[in-house]
Amino acid sequence: MKAYLRVLHALLLLVPVMAMAGPHYVASRDWGSFIWLSTYLDAGQTYTFETRDLTGTSPDTVLHVLRDRSGWSQVAVGDDCAGATRSCVTFVAPDSGYYRVWVRAYADGRGGTASLYRNGTLLLANQPFGGVPVAFSWKAKETFRANSTTPNAGDHLLFLLRSNTEFLQLDDDSGPKAYPRVVATTTQNAGAQRVVVGRYPGSTGTASFVHDEELWSTVFDDNDGDEDGLSDALEPLVGLNAEETDSDGDMVPDALELFGNDGFSFSEWGSPTARDIYVEVDWMQHPTNPYLTRQPYPALVADAAAVFAQDSGVRLHAFIDGTLPWYEVVCYGACSGGVDFYTLKGSSFSTANPERRPYFHYVMWAYKHTSSTSCSSGRAEMLGNDVIISMGCWSSPSAGEQRGTFIHELGHNLALDHNGNDVVNQYSVVHDSVMNYRYQLTGVSNSGWYSYSRGSNGCASCGTSPKAACAACRDGFLGCSYPGCGACDCDVNEWGSLALDFLDDGDADDGTGPVKGRTLLARYAPDDKGGPARLQPFVPHAERPAEARREAVRRKRELLLARGQVEGRDFQVSADGTVLYAECP
């Protein structure tokens, strides 16, 4: 039946009398700022508002006076004034109260600066004005959004107009994370209808524009085949796969990356067409002895992101979030004299932004792990989302040592191993990767660049390798297909081997990705404008029961073995079977 409805839908869209406008999408751009002034006016008084002193390449203002009486209406509007591109309007105030004077650009590229006067008195001098009209028709109940694409910036407004001067509706912050979201109350199918997008005065940043009428306003219930909250007609415009809820395979759903959500907004940081990795870092602060505190250096985030930006098609977004209570030892699970990682995580992981939990890796910057005698630099889940950085045996770890260890341990989360470089003084010079112990702390080939390996299928014979015994070169995963592959020391194309689908079990209960095969619409909640506007986060975060974690470990173990990785060398399984991890010296 679902397939039949899809065919019927497509056929009916070809009939001219039922043809719909189709969705619209404008990629991230600078829309310019409005002049948006609140001013008190007295009933029965005559007022003249005008723009003067226009500057810009070809500045052209339009001036609207609006009033909010349980809904916005237009009191007066002026375009050209005395044959010039400045604007003026004279009217008698119908009642007393606060009015809004809205000054925008007539068209894209016609913005600049202007001064605003009331009855000949200067109110604002040389203020930027802009805004961009997007012209098309629409039907009642169709939805328009402007979604910020600049982190923590970009307060935008949306206006619907019947013509270039006839105001219909506006919205400031009804959408996710106070993005503007307008649901059309009337049908506008002829003439020069337009939506005008721009920023609130003083705001900076960029936004994308989305109009997707098919999903919510048509009579068809089969226009969202993958049930991700984006119609099949919109997804190709945005570069997405209409059959996938996560087109770029980074474990963040397309709808979240395009529309954002309340609190932390993925649309500001990520993209539905580019793979993104998100990491939260919390660190332990000793209450009295600063020499025991292990805190990541301030530039860690930017430095690590630069490695990913230069060397891969994956974008790293790391956040040094906050402090943790100090413990000398952290363990995956309960341990004598130490704290349980999962207990501490449960009370500290994204407490202010719980909507991040299903999609973020969690890094605990600690002192030591497992025991007070251990000098291991870290332990990380393989194909997981949890990491312990433990550089307690370094009296003052350098920025490079911290950066290398951070990227190294994150690599384990992404299914990278040591390529056989696990035995002291038997480290390869061929494997140019931060995953190689030879280069973890000093940088690849001592260059100071802490990166995974690009790999070149290059192999060196055992005689030229410093390793006492060669690492077995696994066909397929390492891609080394030269003769004698079993007795050579190979480089690895690790950037091509990253596994962002780090659980591969379709379960989000442990905070590591969306539930596959379940409609995202079920996680929307109606907003005050009608229709699903906000994706609901998975809260509260809770680690799964031991048996469920053992089943996840079993699936991860099978996947790693299928990739050619060796248990006991490339990864370990805890004695109770609940954690699959790699441990580093």
Side-chain angles (χ1 to χ4, degrees):
M1 184 65 177
K2 195 173 181 69
Y4 169 77
L5 287 174
R6 183 180 290 113
V7 173
L8 177 62
H9 183 201
L11 289 174
L12 287 178
L13 286 178
L14 297 177
V15 180
V17 296
M18 294 187 66
M20 299 178 184
H24 297 79
Y25 173 72
V26 179
S28 176
R29 62 159 293 173
D30 185 340
W31 298 88
S33 297
F34 295 132
I35 294 175
W36 182 242
L37 173 69
S38 177
T39 183
Y40 190 90
L41 304 181
D42 293 313
Q45 297 298 309
T46 299
Y47 294 93
T48 296
F49 287 90
E50 56 185 323
T51 57
R52 303 178 188 175
D53 312 322
L54 272 60
T55 66
T57 302
S58 54
D60 188 350
T61 60
V62 181
L63 188 154
H64 303 255
V65 180
L66 307 175
R67 180 82 162 99
D68 186 8
R69 307 180 189 89
S70 300
W72 289 94
S73 61
Q74 183 164 276
V75 177
V77 62
D79 187 2
D80 294 339
C81 183
T85 57
R86 72 184 190 89
S87 305
C88 56
V89 62
T90 299
F91 65 97
V92 176
D95 56 356
S96 297
Y98 283 97
Y99 291 69
R100 286 281 185 172
V101 180
W102 171 38
V103 178
R104 62 179 177 87
Y106 175 83
D108 194 8
R110 305 299 298 274
T113 65
S115 298
L116 179 65
Y117 286 78
R118 184 181 72 182
N119 294 345
T121 300
L122 177 66
L123 297 180
L124 296 171
N126 303 316
Q127 297 298 300
F129 72 92
V132 178
V134 183
F136 50 83
S137 60
W138 61 81
K139 290 182 172 62
K141 297 184 181 179
E142 293 184 6
T143 301
F144 310 86
R145 307 167 185 255
N147 304 303
S148 177
T149 51
T150 300
N152 302 315
D155 185 1
H156 288 76
L157 298 165
L158 273 176
F159 297 81
L160 302 190
L161 304 179
R162 180 174 287 120
S163 65
N164 197 41
T165 57
E166 188 174 355
F167 168 84
L168 294 173
Q169 293 175 246
L170 75 85
D171 187 73
D172 185 5
D173 55 10
S174 291
K177 202 183 178 185
Y179 300 152
R181 177 180 179 273
V182 175
V183 179
T185 59
T186 60
T187 296
Q188 302 294 325
N189 286 324
Q193 291 76 31
R194 62 200 67 197
V195 180
V196 184
V197 186
R199 292 194 306 270
Y200 195 88
S203 174
T204 61
T206 59
S208 61
F209 171 77
V210 180
H211 163 231
D212 188 17
E213 92 292 344
E214 282 208 336
L215 187 57
W216 311 125
S217 65
T218 69
V219 296
F220 300 99
D221 61 359
D222 192 52
N223 51 15
D224 181 18
D226 55 8
E227 298 180 317
D228 64 353
L230 308 174
S231 76
D232 292 345
L234 174 66
E235 294 207 60
L237 294 181
V238 188
L240 303 179
N241 186 338
E243 300 300 321
E244 295 288 342
T245 61
D246 177 21
S247 297
D248 56 11
D250 63 2
M251 295 300 289
V252 184
D254 292 339
L256 269 181
E257 293 192 276
L258 185 64
F259 287 154
N261 64 348
D262 290 340
F264 179 85
S265 178
F266 291 91
S267 71
E268 295 181 3
W269 296 91
S271 165
T273 59
R275 294 190 299 169
D276 299 283
I277 297 176
Y278 295 91
V279 182
E280 176 181 325
V281 180
D282 288 341
W283 53 280
M284 289 187 176
Q285 184 174 26
H286 195 281
T288 59
N289 188 346
Y291 294 103
L292 296 181
T293 293
R294 291 297 178 268
Q295 178 181 0
Y297 73 101
L300 171 72
V301 168
D303 289 352
V307 171
F308 277 74
Q310 175 169 310
D311 290 352
S312 75
V314 180
R315 301 185 302 183
L316 174 66
H317 311 282
F319 303 85
I320 299 178
D321 199 60
T323 60
L324 299 168
W326 194 88
Y327 295 88
E328 183 178 0
V329 179
V330 180
C331 306
Y332 284 137
C335 62
S336 177
V339 64
D340 179 4
F341 175 95
Y342 299 110
T343 299
L344 197 53
K345 176 182 177 181
S347 61
S348 306
F349 180 34
S350 289
T351 53
N353 296 105
E355 62 279 351
R356 304 188 328 190
R357 292 172 181 166
Y359 313 104
F360 269 59
H361 296 255
Y362 185 59
V363 176
M364 190 174 292
W365 214 273
Y367 191 71
K368 293 185 177 182
H369 76 76
T370 306
S371 75
S372 60
T373 59
S374 171
C375 279
S376 167
S377 62
R379 175 179 281 191
E381 291 180 339
M382 288 282 286
L383 273 180
N385 69 322
D386 291 328
V387 172
I388 300 172
I389 304 290
S390 50
M391 305 189 77
C393 290
W394 284 256
S395 60
S396 182
S398 69
E401 290 170 338
Q402 294 181 56
R403 180 165 64 254
T405 302
F406 173 68
I407 297 175
H408 178 110
E409 300 299 342
L410 182 60
H412 289 315
N413 272 190
L414 306 178
L416 301 183
D417 60 31
H418 302 124
N419 191 34
N421 295 281
D422 300 279
V423 182
V424 177
N425 297 322
Q426 296 183 12
Y427 307 151
S428 167
V429 294
V430 176
H431 183 38
D432 284 335
S433 171
V434 73
M435 300 306 297
N436 183 349
Y437 289 153
R438 175 181 288 270
Y439 303 131
Q440 174 187 336
L441 302 176
T442 61
V444 174
S445 298
N446 297 304
S447 68
W449 187 249
Y450 298 85
S451 177
Y452 305 132
S453 173
R454 291 186 179 276
S456 59
N457 288 331
C459 296
S461 66
C462 286
T464 61
S465 170
K467 299 167 68 176
C470 293
C473 187
R474 282 91 73 193
D475 287 321
F477 173 56
L478 293 186
C480 184
S481 57
Y482 295 105
C485 188
C488 70
D489 179 22
C490 293
D491 201 12
V492 186
N493 178 19
E494 290 174 326
W495 284 117
S497 303
L498 298 183
L500 274 64
D501 190 355
F502 37 78
L503 275 189
D504 197 45
D505 64 357
D507 189 290
D509 292 341
D510 69 341
T512 52
V515 176
K516 297 178 181 177
R518 183 186 302 172
T519 173
L520 283 174
L521 301 187
R523 297 203 297 275
Y524 270 101
D527 74 349
D528 57 359
K529 300 295 183 182
R534 294 178 172 87
L535 280 164
Q536 299 301 290
F538 294 101
V539 290
H541 171 82
E543 296 298 329
R544 288 172 296 170
E547 192 53 44
R549 292 169 62 189
R550 289 189 188 96
E551 177 61 20
V553 166
R554 184 188 66 79
R555 286 192 290 266
K556 289 192 287 186
R557 178 179 178 274
E558 290 178 354
L559 178 59
L560 293 176
L561 292 175
R563 288 166 61 98
Q565 288 158 292
V566 178
E567 184 172 356
R569 182 187 68 189
D570 301 321
F571 66 88
Q572 314 287 333
V573 176
S574 63
D576 64 359
T578 61
V579 183
L580 189 150
Y581 65 92
E583 183 170 341
C584 306

